[in-house]
């Protein structure tokens, strides 16, 4: 299976940081996977993480709304009701 990113990127990262090539490839793959989450996947994952802290939903929803604005994907404005539907389906 081909890598989901140009090999020049891995070579550049290895050269600029001193990381071994294999480590640079793994770092790029991890970052790519992290930022490839959909809005729904992110909301579900973060909701679970925040519940385990433990936080209550009235604290969780505003945090998730704020974090969505900081993410790579362009998330639409979501209401608390829409966020709940993503989690509880």
């Amino acid at each position: 299976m081909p890598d989901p990113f140009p090999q020049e990127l891995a070579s550049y990262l290895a050269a600029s940081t001193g990381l071994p090539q294999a480590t640079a490839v793994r770092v790029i793959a991890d970052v790519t996977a992290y930022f490839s989450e959909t809005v729904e996947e992110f909301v579900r994952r973060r909701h679970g993480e925040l519940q385990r802290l433990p936080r209550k939903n009235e604290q969780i929803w505003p945090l998730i709304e704020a974090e969505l604005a900081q993410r790579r994907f362009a998330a639409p404005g979501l209401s608390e009701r829409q966020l709940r539907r993503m989690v509880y389906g």
Side-chain angles (χ1 to χ4, degrees), residues 39 64-66 68-69 73-83 86:
V39 173
I64 291 176
E65 287 178 55
L68 282 171
F73 48 72
L78 299 171
S79 69
E80 182 176 319
R81 181 178 179 182
Q82 289 170 310
L83 294 171
M86 285 181 194

Side-chain angles (χ1 to χ4, degrees), residues 7-62:
Q7 283 302 299
E8 308 88 66
L9 178 58
S11 296
Y12 173 79
L13 182 62
S16 69
T17 63
L19 292 171
Q21 181 78 11
T23 303
V25 168
R26 192 179 74 240
V27 167
I28 294 168
D30 287 349
V31 170
T32 300
Y34 180 82
F35 284 110
S36 68
E37 279 184 311
T38 66
V39 173
E40 292 83 5
E41 291 166 338
F42 173 78
V43 169
R44 287 186 187 111
R45 179 179 60 78
R46 268 312 270 156
H47 183 266
E49 290 171 354
L50 292 168
Q51 277 191 321
R52 287 186 291 277
L53 285 181
R55 298 249 173 111
K56 295 185 183 284
N57 278 341
E58 58 267 9
Q59 298 168 314
I60 291 173
W61 303 129

